[in-house]
Amino acid sequence: MRSCPKNIVSGIPVSISLFFLLSATRLFGQVSSLDFEQYDTRNGLSQNQVVAIVQDQKGFLWFGTDEGLNRFDGHEFKVFRHNENDSRSLPDNTIHGLAVADDGTIWIGTANGICRYIPDQELIESLPVNYDVDSLPNGTGVNEIRKDPAGN
């Protein structure tokens, strides 16, 4: 009488091991489908070209464009723009740099300086630009904002 080859590790015949392996692959190896949604100006985004993206601690997605700052809550966009009659608005609509600080503040680099969004107060605060004082930002265009290893 001829016997089936044995799996050295478990002592189960190879044909039975192969059956279970193939069955498990067939049951659990099914391809899942992914659904994508596209967002653009038709859905409320201020411009189709997005230059910077961050996600804050509350889960909001922030998009920097040349037509303003966009906050997305998963359903709709809220757009922040420069308003020359409001000192608490963005200093410029061109947003190329975004960073989220550990305290939840969103730092915003614009074509006309840097500002920050304070979420608890829903307030935008511009930082003064001064070419003569070394401790203040000394250029107008800010294209990128990064945190150092200490979180600053």
Side-chain angles (χ1 to χ4, degrees), residues 9-77:
V9 176
S10 64
I12 299 174
V14 173
S15 57
I16 294 174
S17 297
L18 188 58
F19 170 76
F20 286 117
L21 179 64
L22 292 175
S23 296
T25 301
R26 184 176 174 110
L27 294 174
F28 300 108
Q30 297 172 354
V31 178
S32 62
S33 64
L34 299 174
D35 294 325
F36 290 94
E37 289 187 42
Q38 181 176 338
Y39 294 97
D40 56 26
T41 54
R42 294 173 292 191
N43 308 97
L45 190 62
S46 65
Q47 186 186 39
N48 289 335
Q49 184 177 355
V50 174
V51 182
I53 303 172
V54 294
Q55 183 172 18
D56 69 15
Q57 297 162 341
K58 294 180 181 178
F60 291 117
L61 290 172
W62 295 82
F63 300 95
T65 73
D66 284 338
E67 291 295 326
L69 178 65
N70 300 256
R71 183 180 71 191
F72 185 63
D73 65 6
H75 302 285
E76 61 186 6
F77 289 94

Side-chain angles (χ1 to χ4, degrees), residues 56-100:
D56 69 15
Q57 297 162 341
K58 294 180 181 178
F60 291 117
L61 290 172
W62 295 82
F63 300 95
T65 73
D66 284 338
E67 291 295 326
L69 178 65
N70 300 256
R71 183 180 71 191
F72 185 63
D73 65 6
H75 302 285
E76 61 186 6
F77 289 94
K78 179 175 183 178
V79 179
F80 298 85
R81 288 192 169 95
H82 170 69
N83 178 347
E84 57 186 57
N85 298 322
D86 183 1
S87 64
R88 298 294 185 172
S89 71
L90 293 170
D92 194 274
N93 286 332
T94 301
I95 312 298
H96 286 180
L98 293 172
V100 180

Side-chain angles (χ1 to χ4, degrees), residues 98-115:
L98 293 172
V100 180
D102 292 340
D103 67 357
T105 300
I106 312 284
W107 288 89
I108 306 159
T110 78
N112 192 23
I114 189 168
C115 61

